[in-house]
Amino acid sequence: HMKCIKNALVYRAGKFERTNINFDSKIKEISKRDFGCDEEIDAQNCVVLPAFHNAHSHIAMSFARGFEALDLQDWLKKIWEIESKLDSKILEILYKIGLNELITFGCGSTIDSYFEENLLVKLAEKANIKIGTGHLLLWDNVEEVMKEQRKLKSNDHFTPFVTIHSLYTNSKESVEEVVSLAKELGQP
């Protein structure tokens, strides 16, 4: 089943050009020729861009948008109190909201750092979002990270990343241990 975007304004080789795009789940060809596709989208008044990449996200944290302005440590205390009450069902809803926001704003991939990475990977794959994430190092949970990170296997939609919350929630030694793990596993 061939699909085409016709008359698209595309930026290539340093300039905009009007062209056609032949694709299925991936772009097959960009050319001025007529592909004779089964399904055509006329993009005469559109610019066609590749999906964007969000290089740092906490997808499920859309719930925290608009919180009162506080200094960082007070804000974190409030967030951590809320996060301690999140369960898998709530996280699934929050992840779905966040993934829909990514799609709405043209993001096709992200690197995320939050909780229940296996749930996020499953939902991102369903949403056709490429994701990099891993088991979060938080409060020096090194043994847990060592065990869970080894279970993560990459695929077309997922790249395991060693994720570290921060230096103020982990000791330097814990961070060094998981950095060594990342090197050992060949993970970013």
Side-chain angles (χ1 to χ4, degrees), residues 130-144:
K130 294 183 187 292
I131 190 144
T133 191
H135 199 81
L136 180 63
L137 178 68
L138 179 63
W139 311 122
D140 296 315
N141 60 335
V142 174
E143 294 306 315
E144 186 180 317

Side-chain angles (χ1 to χ4, degrees), residues 1-8 10 12 19-41 48:
H1 184 83
M2 292 207 356
K3 299 177 189 175
C4 297
I5 300 174
K6 295 187 76 161
N7 305 311
V10 176
R12 291 184 355 154
T19 190
N20 301 318
I21 304 168
N22 178 10
F23 68 98
D24 50 24
S25 63
K26 296 183 179 182
I27 293 174
K28 298 292 183 186
E29 183 180 352
I30 300 174
S31 171
K32 293 194 183 286
R33 74 181 185 88
D34 187 353
F35 298 114
C37 294
D38 302 318
E39 184 180 333
E40 292 184 351
I41 299 165
V48 177

Side-chain angles (χ1 to χ4, degrees), residues 14 31 34 36 40 49 53 65 67 76 101 104 123 166 168 178:
S31 171
D34 187 353
E40 292 184 351
L49 299 169
H53 175 73
R65 198 173 296 127
F67 265 34
L76 286 170
E101 287 179 349
T104 299
L123 294 170
S166 63
Y168 53 83
V178 296

Side-chain angles (χ1 to χ4, degrees), residues 58-63 65 90-105 120 123:
H58 307 284
I59 293 171
M61 287 190 73
S62 58
F63 75 87
R65 198 173 296 127
I90 293 171
L91 273 174
E92 182 171 354
I93 292 165
L94 293 173
Y95 277 139
K96 286 179 178 179
I97 291 168
L99 289 166
N100 280 320
E101 287 179 349
L102 285 174
I103 293 166
T104 299
F105 296 110
L120 175 57
L123 294 170

